[in-house]
Amino acid sequence: MQQPLMLVTGANSGMGLATTVELARSGAKVVMLCRDARRGAEAREEAIRRSGSGDIMLMTADLGSLDSINRFTEDFRARYSRLDVLVNNAGVVTVKRETTEDGFERMIGVNHLGHFALVHGLMEPLLAAGSSRIVIVSSGAHKAGSIHFPDPHLTKGFNVVKGYAQSKLANLLFALELRKRCSDRGIRVHALHPGAVSTSLGVSRDTGFGKAVYKLLNPFFQTAEAGASTAIYLALSEEGGEEGSLYYIKSKPAEPSRKALDEEMAARLWQWSQQQTGLVWSEPPAAVLR
Ligand SMILES: NC(=O)c1ccc[n+]([C@@H]2O[C@H](COP(=O)([O-])OP(=O)(O)OC[C@H]3O[C@@H](n4cnc5c(N)ncnc54)[C@H](OP(=O)(O)O)[C@@H]3O)[C@@H](O)[C@H]2O)c1
């Protein structure tokens, strides 16, 4: 059997690093997609040491930049003809309203639109694998979320809960629409909530602001390894290769919010995401126009 190729976004930290280690331990070749070359290289060394596998590659892209994502997906397609598993793990929380290079509110921009563009650019190798998987790390926070049409970039009335919950609901609606478009093309799509996990989510990479909150909550939070277990399960288990449930918690099917199952909203978000990114997915489903 051919060695499977797997890609993890946000692989240098928290659950992304823990997921990389386990996927590599399973015998897969793993590409770590990180935005910062130095943090990525240090994490790759750690992943090699912890997994005992040398089959771990580092590639860089900023999911807050459509140009960067485009450069990365071109490079990936030039190097690899197929992709067996894509784990959309990277995520960001900002306390104040910030924008990406493309002017998107950062949480909807990175957590949803960046991954929307990434999947678009990786559709060819995902289809080429014949049978592949997309694992989307959402959050139970989606339950507090709405998609704030006509202003998903929250130019008015921004707050962190509104922005983060919207982006995590968008993860689930993206998964719902992708399943519709891809399941008859051999791509399995699942989303998950990892639980409350002690990582660097919401901690400023520049100032370290936010670390103290995790220190305080540490005894109540799971480790990154425990938090990554559902993503790893969906990437590697037999169930992850089947249609299964849309949403998982603790490696078991779970009920997302009613809004996350709203097919009209999923289609509307898809149209909006195409318009924002300028990327068109052709009909019939999953055939990609460039
Ligand atoms: N921790 C929790 O309790 C919890 C609960 C529910 C869901 N989640 C979800 O779990 C996922 C993983 O988060 P985590 O808790 O492991 O947090 P983390 O330790 O902060 O890891 C987040 C990762 O995303 C990367 N990232 C952020 N912005 C990026 C960008 N513009 N381009 C590329 N990569 C970017 C980070 O890279 P840098 O290090 O370079 O910034 C980092 O590798 C997220 O989707 C989060 O929403 C977490």
Side-chain angles (χ1 to χ4, degrees):
M1 211 180 82
Q2 214 173 5
Q3 184 185 29
L5 180 66
M6 307 192 180
L7 187 151
V8 181
T9 70
N12 61 287
S13 170
M15 286 182 269
L17 178 55
T19 302
T20 300
V21 169
E22 281 313 309
L23 299 187
R25 243 183 222 146
S26 78
K29 184 184 278 216
V30 184
V31 175
M32 301 174 74
L33 182 60
C34 302
R35 70 169 152 160
D36 182 275
R38 183 187 54 79
R39 283 199 290 272
E42 284 170 8
R44 176 174 174 266
E45 288 304 310
E46 184 178 338
I48 289 172
R49 186 174 46 73
R50 277 167 53 186
S51 66
S53 163
D55 274 340
I56 302 179
M57 272 69 59
L58 171 66
M59 293 180 79
T60 54
D62 179 356
L63 290 165
S65 159
L66 293 173
D67 272 354
S68 173
I69 296 165
N70 192 36
R71 277 196 303 277
F72 161 72
T73 53
E74 271 181 19
D75 188 12
F76 185 93
R77 291 195 307 264
R79 290 193 208 188
Y80 306 109
S81 56
R82 46 164 254 284
L83 176 60
D84 298 279
V85 175
L86 168 63
V87 183
N88 285 352
N89 161 82
V92 67
V93 170
T94 69
V95 179
K96 290 191 181 143
R97 185 175 183 277
E98 295 178 12
T99 52
T100 66
E101 190 180 289
D102 303 290
F104 305 150
E105 184 282 315
R106 188 175 295 285
M107 290 185 274
I108 194 82
V110 170
N111 302 355
H112 169 60
L113 291 170
H115 284 106
F116 179 89
L118 182 75
V119 173
H120 178 276
L122 294 177
M123 203 40 94
E124 230 169 64
L126 283 163
L127 287 168
S131 158
S132 56
R133 306 177 187 196
I134 302 174
V135 178
I136 297 178
V137 182
S138 176
S139 167
H142 82 273
K143 294 196 170 177
S146 298
I147 306 296
H148 295 278
F149 290 121
D151 183 30
H153 292 304
L154 304 178
T155 57
K156 292 186 192 78
F158 174 88
N159 72 58
V160 56
V161 174
K162 195 170 163 184
Y164 184 65
Q166 169 176 256
S167 75
K168 291 288 131 179
L169 175 61
N171 288 161
L172 274 160
L173 291 167
F174 180 42
L176 186 67
E177 184 70 22
L178 263 179
R179 277 163 81 91
K180 208 162 146 189
R181 290 168 172 260
C182 298
S183 57
D184 63 345
R185 310 289 297 268
I187 303 179
R188 297 288 175 233
V189 183
H190 299 105
L192 67 106
H193 168 54
V197 187
S198 181
T199 62
S200 300
L201 192 69
V203 176
S204 164
R205 301 311 196 244
D206 301 326
T207 62
F209 180 77
K211 252 188 199 155
V213 177
Y214 274 111
K215 266 206 181 127
L216 208 68
L217 294 173
N218 229 352
F220 309 104
F221 277 25
Q222 304 176 79
T223 60
E225 288 67 32
S229 60
T230 305
I232 295 161
Y233 174 75
L234 291 169
L236 298 178
S237 70
E238 214 169 285
E239 188 171 0
E242 292 162 3
E243 182 77 20
S245 168
L246 171 70
Y247 184 56
Y248 286 75
I249 300 176
K250 291 189 179 160
S251 305
K252 296 267 182 307
E255 275 294 310
S257 69
R258 205 170 34 81
K259 281 184 193 164
L261 298 172
D262 182 337
E263 292 188 8
E264 258 174 49
M265 186 57 78
R268 188 173 177 195
L269 179 70
W270 187 277
Q271 291 307 327
W272 178 79
S273 307
Q274 287 197 136
Q275 181 251 325
Q276 294 293 302
T277 57
L279 297 169
V280 178
W281 303 53
S282 71
E283 304 296 340
V288 179
L289 281 184
R290 287 233 182 78

